[in-house]
PDB file of all heavy atoms in Angstrom:
ATOM      1  N   LEU A  14      -5.064  -5.738  -7.672  1.00  0.00           N
ATOM      2  CA  LEU A  14      -3.916  -5.330  -6.862  1.00  0.00           C
ATOM      3  C   LEU A  14      -3.757  -3.806  -6.866  1.00  0.00           C
ATOM      4  O   LEU A  14      -3.470  -3.206  -5.829  1.00  0.00           O
ATOM      5  CB  LEU A  14      -2.637  -6.019  -7.351  1.00  0.00           C
ATOM      6  CG  LEU A  14      -2.561  -7.512  -7.059  1.00  0.00           C
ATOM      7  CD1 LEU A  14      -1.360  -8.140  -7.758  1.00  0.00           C
ATOM      8  CD2 LEU A  14      -2.495  -7.779  -5.561  1.00  0.00           C
ATOM      9  N   ASN A  15      -3.941  -3.186  -8.001  1.00  0.00           N
ATOM     10  CA  ASN A  15      -3.885  -1.722  -8.064  1.00  0.00           C
ATOM     11  C   ASN A  15      -4.959  -1.111  -7.176  1.00  0.00           C
ATOM     12  O   ASN A  15      -4.743  -0.090  -6.530  1.00  0.00           O
ATOM     13  CB  ASN A  15      -4.055  -1.217  -9.500  1.00  0.00           C
ATOM     14  CG  ASN A  15      -2.805  -1.403 -10.338  1.00  0.00           C
ATOM     15  OD1 ASN A  15      -1.716  -1.545  -9.808  1.00  0.00           O
ATOM     16  ND2 ASN A  15      -2.977  -1.421 -11.644  1.00  0.00           N
ATOM     17  N   GLY A  16      -6.113  -1.739  -7.124  1.00  0.00           N
ATOM     18  CA  GLY A  16      -7.225  -1.245  -6.337  1.00  0.00           C
ATOM     19  C   GLY A  16      -6.981  -1.238  -4.831  1.00  0.00           C
ATOM     20  O   GLY A  16      -7.594  -0.459  -4.107  1.00  0.00           O
ATOM     21  N   ILE A  17      -6.078  -2.084  -4.352  1.00  0.00           N
ATOM     22  CA  ILE A  17      -5.777  -2.098  -2.916  1.00  0.00           C
ATOM     23  C   ILE A  17      -4.487  -1.354  -2.593  1.00  0.00           C
ATOM     24  O   ILE A  17      -4.055  -1.340  -1.449  1.00  0.00           O
ATOM     25  CB  ILE A  17      -5.718  -3.531  -2.342  1.00  0.00           C
ATOM     26  CG1 ILE A  17      -4.586  -4.332  -2.982  1.00  0.00           C
ATOM     27  CG2 ILE A  17      -7.050  -4.224  -2.479  1.00  0.00           C
ATOM     28  CD1 ILE A  17      -4.208  -5.557  -2.203  1.00  0.00           C
ATOM     29  N   GLY A  18      -3.857  -0.757  -3.605  1.00  0.00           N
ATOM     30  CA  GLY A  18      -2.684   0.066  -3.349  1.00  0.00           C
ATOM     31  C   GLY A  18      -1.335  -0.579  -3.601  1.00  0.00           C
ATOM     32  O   GLY A  18      -0.305  -0.023  -3.238  1.00  0.00           O
ATOM     33  N   VAL A  19      -1.311  -1.740  -4.243  1.00  0.00           N
ATOM     34  CA  VAL A  19      -0.030  -2.357  -4.609  1.00  0.00           C
ATOM     35  C   VAL A  19       0.549  -1.542  -5.757  1.00  0.00           C
ATOM     36  O   VAL A  19      -0.098  -1.340  -6.775  1.00  0.00           O
ATOM     37  CB  VAL A  19      -0.212  -3.843  -5.010  1.00  0.00           C
ATOM     38  CG1 VAL A  19       1.076  -4.412  -5.564  1.00  0.00           C
ATOM     39  CG2 VAL A  19      -0.694  -4.648  -3.818  1.00  0.00           C
ATOM     40  N   GLN A  20       1.790  -1.071  -5.574  1.00  0.00           N
ATOM     41  CA  GLN A  20       2.353  -0.113  -6.527  1.00  0.00           C
ATOM     42  C   GLN A  20       3.130  -0.739  -7.670  1.00  0.00           C
ATOM     43  O   GLN A  20       3.316  -0.114  -8.699  1.00  0.00           O
ATOM     44  CB  GLN A  20       3.251   0.866  -5.785  1.00  0.00           C
ATOM     45  CG  GLN A  20       2.463   1.749  -4.840  1.00  0.00           C
ATOM     46  CD  GLN A  20       3.334   2.772  -4.154  1.00  0.00           C
ATOM     47  OE1 GLN A  20       4.548   2.759  -4.295  1.00  0.00           O
ATOM     48  NE2 GLN A  20       2.711   3.650  -3.402  1.00  0.00           N
ATOM     49  N   GLY A  21       3.623  -1.934  -7.527  1.00  0.00           N
ATOM     50  CA  GLY A  21       4.394  -2.523  -8.609  1.00  0.00           C
ATOM     51  C   GLY A  21       4.305  -4.035  -8.581  1.00  0.00           C
ATOM     52  O   GLY A  21       4.053  -4.636  -7.540  1.00  0.00           O
ATOM     53  N   LEU A  22       4.498  -4.628  -9.752  1.00  0.00           N
ATOM     54  CA  LEU A  22       4.525  -6.073  -9.832  1.00  0.00           C
ATOM     55  C   LEU A  22       5.352  -6.486 -11.033  1.00  0.00           C
ATOM     56  O   LEU A  22       5.583  -5.696 -11.933  1.00  0.00           O
ATOM     57  CB  LEU A  22       3.115  -6.671  -9.885  1.00  0.00           C
ATOM     58  CG  LEU A  22       2.171  -6.239 -10.988  1.00  0.00           C
ATOM     59  CD1 LEU A  22       2.237  -7.202 -12.165  1.00  0.00           C
ATOM     60  CD2 LEU A  22       0.763  -6.242 -10.452  1.00  0.00           C
ATOM     61  N   THR A  23       5.803  -7.716 -11.008  1.00  0.00           N
ATOM     62  CA  THR A  23       6.562  -8.283 -12.108  1.00  0.00           C
ATOM     63  C   THR A  23       5.766  -9.440 -12.672  1.00  0.00           C
ATOM     64  O   THR A  23       5.224 -10.250 -11.927  1.00  0.00           O
ATOM     65  CB  THR A  23       7.937  -8.795 -11.617  1.00  0.00           C
ATOM     66  OG1 THR A  23       8.656  -7.701 -11.046  1.00  0.00           O
ATOM     67  CG2 THR A  23       8.748  -9.387 -12.748  1.00  0.00           C
ATOM     68  N   VAL A  24       5.683  -9.514 -14.001  1.00  0.00           N
ATOM     69  CA  VAL A  24       4.928 -10.567 -14.663  1.00  0.00           C
ATOM     70  C   VAL A  24       5.853 -11.303 -15.622  1.00  0.00           C
ATOM     71  O   VAL A  24       6.611 -10.688 -16.368  1.00  0.00           O
ATOM     72  CB  VAL A  24       3.738  -9.971 -15.452  1.00  0.00           C
ATOM     73  CG1 VAL A  24       3.000 -11.048 -16.214  1.00  0.00           C
ATOM     74  CG2 VAL A  24       2.796  -9.232 -14.522  1.00  0.00           C
ATOM     75  N   THR A  25       5.771 -12.637 -15.583  1.00  0.00           N
ATOM     76  CA  THR A  25       6.570 -13.483 -16.457  1.00  0.00           C
ATOM     77  C   THR A  25       5.658 -14.513 -17.101  1.00  0.00           C
ATOM     78  O   THR A  25       4.808 -15.091 -16.432  1.00  0.00           O
ATOM     79  CB  THR A  25       7.655 -14.229 -15.646  1.00  0.00           C
ATOM     80  OG1 THR A  25       8.366 -13.305 -14.827  1.00  0.00           O
ATOM     81  CG2 THR A  25       8.636 -14.930 -16.560  1.00  0.00           C
ATOM     82  N   GLU A  26       5.851 -14.743 -18.393  1.00  0.00           N
ATOM     83  CA  GLU A  26       5.136 -15.827 -19.058  1.00  0.00           C
ATOM     84  C   GLU A  26       5.877 -17.115 -18.743  1.00  0.00           C
ATOM     85  O   GLU A  26       7.079 -17.215 -18.976  1.00  0.00           O
ATOM     86  CB  GLU A  26       5.095 -15.612 -20.570  1.00  0.00           C
ATOM     87  CG  GLU A  26       4.231 -14.450 -20.985  1.00  0.00           C
ATOM     88  CD  GLU A  26       4.177 -14.287 -22.499  1.00  0.00           C
ATOM     89  OE1 GLU A  26       4.310 -15.300 -23.226  1.00  0.00           O
ATOM     90  OE2 GLU A  26       4.009 -13.149 -22.942  1.00  0.00           O
ATOM     91  N   VAL A  27       5.154 -18.092 -18.196  1.00  0.00           N
ATOM     92  CA  VAL A  27       5.764 -19.370 -17.829  1.00  0.00           C
ATOM     93  C   VAL A  27       4.917 -20.509 -18.381  1.00  0.00           C
ATOM     94  O   VAL A  27       3.801 -20.307 -18.854  1.00  0.00           O
ATOM     95  CB  VAL A  27       5.918 -19.508 -16.289  1.00  0.00           C
ATOM     96  CG1 VAL A  27       6.878 -18.455 -15.752  1.00  0.00           C
ATOM     97  CG2 VAL A  27       4.583 -19.419 -15.590  1.00  0.00           C
ATOM     98  N   LYS A  28       5.464 -21.715 -18.320  1.00  0.00           N
ATOM     99  CA  LYS A  28       4.725 -22.913 -18.695  1.00  0.00           C
ATOM    100  C   LYS A  28       4.876 -23.922 -17.577  1.00  0.00           C
ATOM    101  O   LYS A  28       5.922 -23.983 -16.924  1.00  0.00           O
ATOM    102  CB  LYS A  28       5.262 -23.506 -19.997  1.00  0.00           C
ATOM    103  CG  LYS A  28       4.995 -22.633 -21.195  1.00  0.00           C
ATOM    104  CD  LYS A  28       5.465 -23.302 -22.442  1.00  0.00           C
ATOM    105  CE  LYS A  28       5.147 -22.409 -23.634  1.00  0.00           C
ATOM    106  NZ  LYS A  28       5.339 -23.098 -24.889  1.00  0.00           N
ATOM    107  N   GLY A  29       3.840 -24.697 -17.351  1.00  0.00           N
ATOM    108  CA  GLY A  29       3.922 -25.706 -16.311  1.00  0.00           C
ATOM    109  C   GLY A  29       2.674 -26.551 -16.266  1.00  0.00           C
ATOM    110  O   GLY A  29       1.779 -26.410 -17.097  1.00  0.00           O
ATOM    111  N   TYR A  30       2.641 -27.422 -15.285  1.00  0.00           N
ATOM    112  CA  TYR A  30       1.452 -28.232 -15.072  1.00  0.00           C
ATOM    113  C   TYR A  30       1.340 -28.579 -13.602  1.00  0.00           C
ATOM    114  O   TYR A  30       2.312 -28.533 -12.855  1.00  0.00           O
ATOM    115  CB  TYR A  30       1.451 -29.507 -15.924  1.00  0.00           C
ATOM    116  CG  TYR A  30       2.541 -30.490 -15.578  1.00  0.00           C
ATOM    117  CD1 TYR A  30       2.338 -31.463 -14.603  1.00  0.00           C
ATOM    118  CD2 TYR A  30       3.754 -30.457 -16.236  1.00  0.00           C
ATOM    119  CE1 TYR A  30       3.329 -32.372 -14.286  1.00  0.00           C
ATOM    120  CE2 TYR A  30       4.754 -31.357 -15.934  1.00  0.00           C
ATOM    121  CZ  TYR A  30       4.533 -32.324 -14.962  1.00  0.00           C
ATOM    122  OH  TYR A  30       5.511 -33.211 -14.653  1.00  0.00           O
ATOM    123  N   GLY A  31       0.141 -28.894 -13.200  1.00  0.00           N
ATOM    124  CA  GLY A  31      -0.131 -29.301 -11.830  1.00  0.00           C
ATOM    125  C   GLY A  31      -0.749 -30.670 -11.833  1.00  0.00           C
ATOM    126  O   GLY A  31      -0.310 -31.553 -12.570  1.00  0.00           O
ATOM    127  N   ARG A  32      -1.800 -30.825 -11.062  1.00  0.00           N
ATOM    128  CA  ARG A  32      -2.454 -32.129 -10.962  1.00  0.00           C
ATOM    129  C   ARG A  32      -3.012 -32.622 -12.285  1.00  0.00           C
ATOM    130  O   ARG A  32      -3.075 -33.817 -12.527  1.00  0.00           O
ATOM    131  CB  ARG A  32      -3.593 -32.058  -9.952  1.00  0.00           C
ATOM    132  CG  ARG A  32      -3.124 -31.967  -8.548  1.00  0.00           C
ATOM    133  CD  ARG A  32      -4.304 -32.042  -7.617  1.00  0.00           C
ATOM    134  NE  ARG A  32      -3.875 -31.723  -6.266  1.00  0.00           N
ATOM    135  CZ  ARG A  32      -4.672 -31.345  -5.320  1.00  0.00           C
ATOM    136  NH1 ARG A  32      -5.958 -31.225  -5.556  1.00  0.00           N
ATOM    137  NH2 ARG A  32      -4.212 -31.069  -4.117  1.00  0.00           N
ATOM    138  N   GLN A  33      -3.413 -31.692 -13.162  1.00  0.00           N
ATOM    139  CA  GLN A  33      -4.047 -32.126 -14.398  1.00  0.00           C
ATOM    140  C   GLN A  33      -3.047 -32.727 -15.379  1.00  0.00           C
ATOM    141  O   GLN A  33      -3.432 -33.366 -16.342  1.00  0.00           O
ATOM    142  CB  GLN A  33      -4.836 -30.977 -15.045  1.00  0.00           C
ATOM    143  CG  GLN A  33      -3.992 -29.970 -15.784  1.00  0.00           C
ATOM    144  CD  GLN A  33      -3.581 -28.767 -14.956  1.00  0.00           C
ATOM    145  OE1 GLN A  33      -3.464 -28.862 -13.752  1.00  0.00           O
ATOM    146  NE2 GLN A  33      -3.363 -27.660 -15.606  1.00  0.00           N
ATOM    147  N   LYS A  34      -1.763 -32.519 -15.168  1.00  0.00           N
ATOM    148  CA  LYS A  34      -0.698 -33.093 -15.994  1.00  0.00           C
ATOM    149  C   LYS A  34      -0.860 -32.794 -17.484  1.00  0.00           C
ATOM    150  O   LYS A  34      -0.584 -33.616 -18.337  1.00  0.00           O
ATOM    151  CB  LYS A  34      -0.625 -34.617 -15.813  1.00  0.00           C
ATOM    152  CG  LYS A  34      -0.479 -35.084 -14.395  1.00  0.00           C
ATOM    153  CD  LYS A  34       0.962 -35.032 -13.958  1.00  0.00           C
ATOM    154  CE  LYS A  34       1.208 -35.772 -12.672  1.00  0.00           C
ATOM    155  NZ  LYS A  34       0.777 -35.080 -11.483  1.00  0.00           N
ATOM    156  N   GLY A  35      -1.327 -31.611 -17.800  1.00  0.00           N
ATOM    157  CA  GLY A  35      -1.513 -31.240 -19.199  1.00  0.00           C
ATOM    158  C   GLY A  35      -2.773 -31.863 -19.761  1.00  0.00           C
ATOM    159  O   GLY A  35      -3.669 -32.260 -19.029  1.00  0.00           O
ATOM    160  N   HIS A  36      -2.825 -31.975 -21.090  1.00  0.00           N
ATOM    161  CA  HIS A  36      -3.992 -32.576 -21.724  1.00  0.00           C
ATOM    162  C   HIS A  36      -3.611 -33.117 -23.097  1.00  0.00           C
ATOM    163  O   HIS A  36      -2.534 -32.842 -23.613  1.00  0.00           O
ATOM    164  CB  HIS A  36      -5.135 -31.560 -21.834  1.00  0.00           C
ATOM    165  CG  HIS A  36      -4.799 -30.367 -22.664  1.00  0.00           C
ATOM    166  ND1 HIS A  36      -4.127 -29.274 -22.164  1.00  0.00           N
ATOM    167  CD2 HIS A  36      -5.030 -30.101 -23.964  1.00  0.00           C
ATOM    168  CE1 HIS A  36      -3.959 -28.380 -23.131  1.00  0.00           C
ATOM    169  NE2 HIS A  36      -4.497 -28.852 -24.223  1.00  0.00           N
ATOM    170  N   THR A  37      -4.499 -33.896 -23.697  1.00  0.00           N
ATOM    171  CA  THR A  37      -4.272 -34.480 -25.015  1.00  0.00           C
ATOM    172  C   THR A  37      -5.045 -33.678 -26.049  1.00  0.00           C
ATOM    173  O   THR A  37      -6.188 -33.301 -25.817  1.00  0.00           O
ATOM    174  CB  THR A  37      -4.747 -35.951 -25.034  1.00  0.00           C
ATOM    175  OG1 THR A  37      -4.057 -36.651 -24.006  1.00  0.00           O
ATOM    176  CG2 THR A  37      -4.458 -36.613 -26.352  1.00  0.00           C
ATOM    177  N   GLU A  38      -4.408 -33.409 -27.191  1.00  0.00           N
ATOM    178  CA  GLU A  38      -5.066 -32.691 -28.274  1.00  0.00           C
ATOM    179  C   GLU A  38      -4.965 -33.497 -29.555  1.00  0.00           C
ATOM    180  O   GLU A  38      -4.049 -34.302 -29.729  1.00  0.00           O
ATOM    181  CB  GLU A  38      -4.433 -31.311 -28.483  1.00  0.00           C
ATOM    182  CG  GLU A  38      -4.751 -30.328 -27.392  1.00  0.00           C
ATOM    183  CD  GLU A  38      -4.308 -28.911 -27.720  1.00  0.00           C
ATOM    184  OE1 GLU A  38      -3.826 -28.662 -28.837  1.00  0.00           O
ATOM    185  OE2 GLU A  38      -4.471 -28.045 -26.850  1.00  0.00           O
ATOM    186  N   LEU A  39      -5.888 -33.238 -30.452  1.00  0.00           N
ATOM    187  CA  LEU A  39      -5.901 -33.885 -31.754  1.00  0.00           C
ATOM    188  C   LEU A  39      -5.560 -32.832 -32.795  1.00  0.00           C
ATOM    189  O   LEU A  39      -6.192 -31.778 -32.860  1.00  0.00           O
ATOM    190  CB  LEU A  39      -7.305 -34.459 -32.011  1.00  0.00           C
ATOM    191  CG  LEU A  39      -7.429 -35.458 -33.141  1.00  0.00           C
ATOM    192  CD1 LEU A  39      -6.570 -36.694 -32.865  1.00  0.00           C
ATOM    193  CD2 LEU A  39      -8.892 -35.871 -33.294  1.00  0.00           C
ATOM    194  N   TYR A  40      -4.540 -33.088 -33.610  1.00  0.00           N
ATOM    195  CA  TYR A  40      -4.120 -32.143 -34.640  1.00  0.00           C
ATOM    196  C   TYR A  40      -3.879 -32.905 -35.936  1.00  0.00           C
ATOM    197  O   TYR A  40      -3.016 -33.789 -35.995  1.00  0.00           O
ATOM    198  CB  TYR A  40      -2.859 -31.400 -34.210  1.00  0.00           C
ATOM    199  CG  TYR A  40      -2.358 -30.403 -35.221  1.00  0.00           C
ATOM    200  CD1 TYR A  40      -3.050 -29.220 -35.453  1.00  0.00           C
ATOM    201  CD2 TYR A  40      -1.207 -30.642 -35.952  1.00  0.00           C
ATOM    202  CE1 TYR A  40      -2.613 -28.304 -36.382  1.00  0.00           C
ATOM    203  CE2 TYR A  40      -0.755 -29.736 -36.890  1.00  0.00           C
ATOM    204  CZ  TYR A  40      -1.460 -28.566 -37.102  1.00  0.00           C
ATOM    205  OH  TYR A  40      -1.021 -27.659 -38.031  1.00  0.00           O
ATOM    206  N   ARG A  41      -4.650 -32.605 -36.964  1.00  0.00           N
ATOM    207  CA  ARG A  41      -4.554 -33.256 -38.270  1.00  0.00           C
ATOM    208  C   ARG A  41      -4.561 -34.773 -38.144  1.00  0.00           C
ATOM    209  O   ARG A  41      -3.749 -35.476 -38.735  1.00  0.00           O
ATOM    210  CB  ARG A  41      -3.311 -32.788 -39.015  1.00  0.00           C
ATOM    211  CG  ARG A  41      -3.393 -31.333 -39.404  1.00  0.00           C
ATOM    212  CD  ARG A  41      -2.265 -30.941 -40.297  1.00  0.00           C
ATOM    213  NE  ARG A  41      -2.422 -29.541 -40.665  1.00  0.00           N
ATOM    214  CZ  ARG A  41      -1.628 -28.931 -41.499  1.00  0.00           C
ATOM    215  NH1 ARG A  41      -0.619 -29.561 -42.058  1.00  0.00           N
ATOM    216  NH2 ARG A  41      -1.826 -27.660 -41.781  1.00  0.00           N
ATOM    217  N   GLY A  42      -5.448 -35.250 -37.317  1.00  0.00           N
ATOM    218  CA  GLY A  42      -5.618 -36.686 -37.158  1.00  0.00           C
ATOM    219  C   GLY A  42      -4.654 -37.363 -36.206  1.00  0.00           C
ATOM    220  O   GLY A  42      -4.810 -38.526 -35.880  1.00  0.00           O
ATOM    221  N   ALA A  43      -3.649 -36.636 -35.747  1.00  0.00           N
ATOM    222  CA  ALA A  43      -2.670 -37.214 -34.823  1.00  0.00           C
ATOM    223  C   ALA A  43      -2.935 -36.687 -33.414  1.00  0.00           C
ATOM    224  O   ALA A  43      -3.212 -35.506 -33.221  1.00  0.00           O
ATOM    225  CB  ALA A  43      -1.249 -36.861 -35.253  1.00  0.00           C
ATOM    226  N   GLU A  44      -2.845 -37.588 -32.465  1.00  0.00           N
ATOM    227  CA  GLU A  44      -3.063 -37.208 -31.073  1.00  0.00           C
ATOM    228  C   GLU A  44      -1.708 -36.926 -30.427  1.00  0.00           C
ATOM    229  O   GLU A  44      -0.749 -37.667 -30.631  1.00  0.00           O
ATOM    230  CB  GLU A  44      -3.755 -38.366 -30.340  1.00  0.00           C
ATOM    231  CG  GLU A  44      -4.359 -37.982 -29.021  1.00  0.00           C
ATOM    232  CD  GLU A  44      -5.164 -39.117 -28.425  1.00  0.00           C
ATOM    233  OE1 GLU A  44      -6.358 -39.218 -28.733  1.00  0.00           O
ATOM    234  OE2 GLU A  44      -4.571 -39.895 -27.662  1.00  0.00           O
ATOM    235  N   TYR A  45      -1.624 -35.837 -29.687  1.00  0.00           N
ATOM    236  CA  TYR A  45      -0.380 -35.554 -28.969  1.00  0.00           C
ATOM    237  C   TYR A  45      -0.689 -34.950 -27.608  1.00  0.00           C
ATOM    238  O   TYR A  45      -1.756 -34.406 -27.380  1.00  0.00           O
ATOM    239  CB  TYR A  45       0.563 -34.656 -29.775  1.00  0.00           C
ATOM    240  CG  TYR A  45       0.049 -33.266 -30.039  1.00  0.00           C
ATOM    241  CD1 TYR A  45       0.482 -32.200 -29.257  1.00  0.00           C
ATOM    242  CD2 TYR A  45      -0.847 -32.996 -31.064  1.00  0.00           C
ATOM    243  CE1 TYR A  45       0.026 -30.909 -29.475  1.00  0.00           C
ATOM    244  CE2 TYR A  45      -1.309 -31.717 -31.292  1.00  0.00           C
ATOM    245  CZ  TYR A  45      -0.873 -30.686 -30.503  1.00  0.00           C
ATOM    246  OH  TYR A  45      -1.325 -29.418 -30.723  1.00  0.00           O
ATOM    247  N   VAL A  46       0.268 -35.064 -26.697  1.00  0.00           N
ATOM    248  CA  VAL A  46       0.085 -34.616 -25.321  1.00  0.00           C
ATOM    249  C   VAL A  46       0.719 -33.248 -25.141  1.00  0.00           C
ATOM    250  O   VAL A  46       1.866 -33.042 -25.535  1.00  0.00           O
ATOM    251  CB  VAL A  46       0.717 -35.618 -24.329  1.00  0.00           C
ATOM    252  CG1 VAL A  46       0.606 -35.106 -22.900  1.00  0.00           C
ATOM    253  CG2 VAL A  46       0.057 -36.980 -24.461  1.00  0.00           C
ATOM    254  N   VAL A  47      -0.041 -32.322 -24.560  1.00  0.00           N
ATOM    255  CA  VAL A  47       0.475 -31.011 -24.214  1.00  0.00           C
ATOM    256  C   VAL A  47       0.802 -31.065 -22.731  1.00  0.00           C
ATOM    257  O   VAL A  47      -0.086 -31.022 -21.883  1.00  0.00           O
ATOM    258  CB  VAL A  47      -0.567 -29.899 -24.509  1.00  0.00           C
ATOM    259  CG1 VAL A  47      -0.019 -28.541 -24.098  1.00  0.00           C
ATOM    260  CG2 VAL A  47      -0.948 -29.906 -25.978  1.00  0.00           C
ATOM    261  N   ASP A  48       2.097 -31.241 -22.413  1.00  0.00           N
ATOM    262  CA  ASP A  48       2.514 -31.405 -21.017  1.00  0.00           C
ATOM    263  C   ASP A  48       2.528 -30.081 -20.266  1.00  0.00           C
ATOM    264  O   ASP A  48       2.112 -30.007 -19.126  1.00  0.00           O
ATOM    265  CB  ASP A  48       3.928 -31.999 -20.937  1.00  0.00           C
ATOM    266  CG  ASP A  48       3.946 -33.451 -21.350  1.00  0.00           C
ATOM    267  OD1 ASP A  48       2.871 -34.078 -21.370  1.00  0.00           O
ATOM    268  OD2 ASP A  48       5.035 -33.959 -21.660  1.00  0.00           O
ATOM    269  N   PHE A  49       3.055 -29.059 -20.891  1.00  0.00           N
ATOM    270  CA  PHE A  49       3.223 -27.778 -20.219  1.00  0.00           C
ATOM    271  C   PHE A  49       2.202 -26.783 -20.750  1.00  0.00           C
ATOM    272  O   PHE A  49       2.171 -26.488 -21.936  1.00  0.00           O
ATOM    273  CB  PHE A  49       4.644 -27.243 -20.423  1.00  0.00           C
ATOM    274  CG  PHE A  49       5.679 -28.112 -19.786  1.00  0.00           C
ATOM    275  CD1 PHE A  49       6.425 -29.001 -20.534  1.00  0.00           C
ATOM    276  CD2 PHE A  49       5.886 -28.053 -18.418  1.00  0.00           C
ATOM    277  CE1 PHE A  49       7.369 -29.811 -19.932  1.00  0.00           C
ATOM    278  CE2 PHE A  49       6.827 -28.857 -17.803  1.00  0.00           C
ATOM    279  CZ  PHE A  49       7.564 -29.744 -18.563  1.00  0.00           C
ATOM    280  N   LEU A  50       1.389 -26.255 -19.825  1.00  0.00           N
ATOM    281  CA  LEU A  50       0.353 -25.309 -20.193  1.00  0.00           C
ATOM    282  C   LEU A  50       0.835 -23.880 -19.959  1.00  0.00           C
ATOM    283  O   LEU A  50       1.584 -23.633 -19.009  1.00  0.00           O
ATOM    284  CB  LEU A  50      -0.895 -25.576 -19.354  1.00  0.00           C
ATOM    285  CG  LEU A  50      -1.472 -26.988 -19.491  1.00  0.00           C
ATOM    286  CD1 LEU A  50      -2.584 -27.195 -18.477  1.00  0.00           C
ATOM    287  CD2 LEU A  50      -1.967 -27.229 -20.899  1.00  0.00           C
ATOM    288  N   PRO A  51       0.416 -22.933 -20.801  1.00  0.00           N
ATOM    289  CA  PRO A  51       0.846 -21.542 -20.606  1.00  0.00           C
ATOM    290  C   PRO A  51       0.210 -20.950 -19.349  1.00  0.00           C
ATOM    291  O   PRO A  51      -0.983 -21.120 -19.103  1.00  0.00           O
ATOM    292  CB  PRO A  51       0.354 -20.831 -21.862  1.00  0.00           C
ATOM    293  CG  PRO A  51      -0.746 -21.689 -22.385  1.00  0.00           C
ATOM    294  CD  PRO A  51      -0.445 -23.096 -21.960  1.00  0.00           C
ATOM    295  N   LYS A  52       1.024 -20.272 -18.555  1.00  0.00           N
ATOM    296  CA  LYS A  52       0.582 -19.618 -17.318  1.00  0.00           C
ATOM    297  C   LYS A  52       1.284 -18.271 -17.220  1.00  0.00           C
ATOM    298  O   LYS A  52       2.225 -17.986 -17.946  1.00  0.00           O
ATOM    299  CB  LYS A  52       0.943 -20.451 -16.084  1.00  0.00           C
ATOM    300  CG  LYS A  52       0.367 -21.854 -16.058  1.00  0.00           C
ATOM    301  CD  LYS A  52      -1.098 -21.843 -15.773  1.00  0.00           C
ATOM    302  CE  LYS A  52      -1.637 -23.268 -15.661  1.00  0.00           C
ATOM    303  NZ  LYS A  52      -3.024 -23.296 -15.295  1.00  0.00           N
ATOM    304  N   MET A  53       0.827 -17.446 -16.289  1.00  0.00           N
ATOM    305  CA  MET A  53       1.489 -16.183 -15.972  1.00  0.00           C
ATOM    306  C   MET A  53       1.943 -16.254 -14.524  1.00  0.00           C
ATOM    307  O   MET A  53       1.198 -16.719 -13.665  1.00  0.00           O
ATOM    308  CB  MET A  53       0.533 -15.005 -16.148  1.00  0.00           C
ATOM    309  CG  MET A  53      -0.031 -14.858 -17.553  1.00  0.00           C
ATOM    310  SD  MET A  53       1.211 -14.674 -18.827  1.00  0.00           S
ATOM    311  CE  MET A  53       1.704 -12.998 -18.581  1.00  0.00           C
ATOM    312  N   LYS A  54       3.161 -15.787 -14.282  1.00  0.00           N
ATOM    313  CA  LYS A  54       3.689 -15.726 -12.921  1.00  0.00           C
ATOM    314  C   LYS A  54       3.768 -14.259 -12.516  1.00  0.00           C
ATOM    315  O   LYS A  54       4.405 -13.450 -13.190  1.00  0.00           O
ATOM    316  CB  LYS A  54       5.073 -16.354 -12.850  1.00  0.00           C
ATOM    317  CG  LYS A  54       5.691 -16.323 -11.466  1.00  0.00           C
ATOM    318  CD  LYS A  54       7.056 -16.995 -11.506  1.00  0.00           C
ATOM    319  CE  LYS A  54       7.709 -17.005 -10.152  1.00  0.00           C
ATOM    320  NZ  LYS A  54       9.028 -17.653 -10.204  1.00  0.00           N
TER     321      LYS A  54
END
């Protein structure tokens, strides 16, 4: 964006999900669902 001349922007750390609906992780033998994934807005 800087390269094309955009002078300012706002960035926010957000969490969400789309079609993938998060994912499942294994932690200390227990399985849990991570619904909201870290994103940048």
Side-chain angles (χ1 to χ4, degrees):
L14 289 172
N15 284 339
I17 63 163
V19 172
Q20 293 183 354
L22 57 94
T23 301
V24 176
T25 310
E26 291 182 29
V27 296
K28 292 184 179 191
Y30 65 89
R32 288 186 190 160
Q33 78 267 28
K34 306 277 193 283
H36 61 276
T37 303
E38 288 189 5
L39 195 62
Y40 180 71
R41 293 188 178 184
E44 195 173 272
Y45 65 100
V46 176
V47 178
D48 289 342
F49 295 101
L50 301 172
K52 302 287 184 176
M53 301 302 284
K54 180 179 181 180

